Each structure stands twice: as structure tokens, then as C-alpha cells.
């Protein structure tokens, strides 16, 4: 992480790196990405949060989607976690063959 491009600490656990690039996880239907750098993903996430603040308030009791992601059940349109899960599954298949 370069010092001249700070990423807010609250973004750290919402940015994931995949083979295809960086994704920013959102609470809306679609994640953001892929981006070629974490900084770009972070900036996109900042803009996204500004737009959605007030429209889609954080609901207490909503399950954390950061844990136990089931790609087969997922209905999101652009899901960074599914991308990550697919890559992981693919690389496990390659390792097993
Ligand atoms: Zn998903």
C-alpha cells in the first residue's frame, strides 16, 4: 500500500483482490469492479457510499455477507465474492487434476 494514496481503514475489509482485479463490496445488488488498483476500487466505493447513504441504510440484523459466501445461492449481478469463489474453485480443480 503506497503512502501517497491512503485507503480509509473502513474500506480495508470491503476491498478484495482477485485474478481479474480489485472489487469493492457493497450492500447493494452489484459490487464495484474490477479495478486495476485498490486505490481505484476505494475511490469508487467512496462515491458509491455517498450516493447510497440515506437510500439504503444499514439494517441491524442483516447477515454479514463477508462470511460464508455461497456463490450458488447468490443473486447479485456483479459479485466480487463470487468471482473470488469461482477462481478458488477453479484453482482447486487444477491442483487436483
Ligand atoms: Zn456472490
Amino acid at each position: 500500500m503506497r503512502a501517497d494514496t491512503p485507503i480509509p481503514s473502513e474500506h480495508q475489509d470491503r476491498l478484495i483482490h482477485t485474478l481479474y482485479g480489485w472489487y469493492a463490496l457493497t450492500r447493494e445488488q452489484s459490487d464495484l469492479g474490477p479495478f486495476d488498483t485498490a486505490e481505484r476500487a476505494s475511490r469508487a466505493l467512496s462515491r458509491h457510499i455517498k450516493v447510497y447513504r440515506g437510500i439504503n441504510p444499514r439494517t441491524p440484523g442483516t447477515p454479514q455477507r463477508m462470511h460464508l459466501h455461497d456463490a450458488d445461492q447468490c443473486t447479485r449481478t456483479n459479485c466480487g465474492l463470487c468471482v473470488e469463489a469461482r477462481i478458488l474453485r477453479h484453482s482447486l480443480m487444477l491442483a487436483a487434476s
Side-chain angles (χ1 to χ4, degrees):
M1 225 59 84
R2 297 199 305 272
D4 60 332
T5 51
I7 291 176
S9 58
E10 68 267 26
H11 285 188
Q12 299 286 357
D13 59 357
R14 298 180 64 172
L15 302 178
I16 61 169
H17 190 224
T18 75
L19 272 181
Y20 302 114
W22 287 86
Y23 281 84
L25 306 182
T26 75
R27 281 179 282 116
E28 284 67 43
Q29 177 60 25
S30 182
D31 288 333
L32 310 171
F35 298 95
D36 54 358
T37 67
E39 289 80 8
R40 282 198 181 145
S42 176
R43 279 199 296 273
L45 184 57
S46 296
R47 285 194 300 272
H48 177 88
I49 289 168
K50 250 177 234 157
V51 169
Y52 278 89
R53 183 172 291 153
I55 297 175
N56 191 0
R58 189 179 291 271
T59 322
T62 301
Q64 280 286 318
R65 45 179 297 256
M66 310 303 159
H67 310 288
L68 286 174
H69 190 72
D70 186 348
D72 295 327
Q73 301 290 320
C74 185
T75 57
R76 297 169 67 80
T77 48
N78 180 35
C79 181
L81 293 177
C82 282
V83 169
E84 194 177 45
R86 273 199 297 273
I87 292 170
L88 183 65
R89 202 183 307 178
H90 188 65
S91 53
L92 289 176
M93 270 158 41
L94 287 180
S97 64

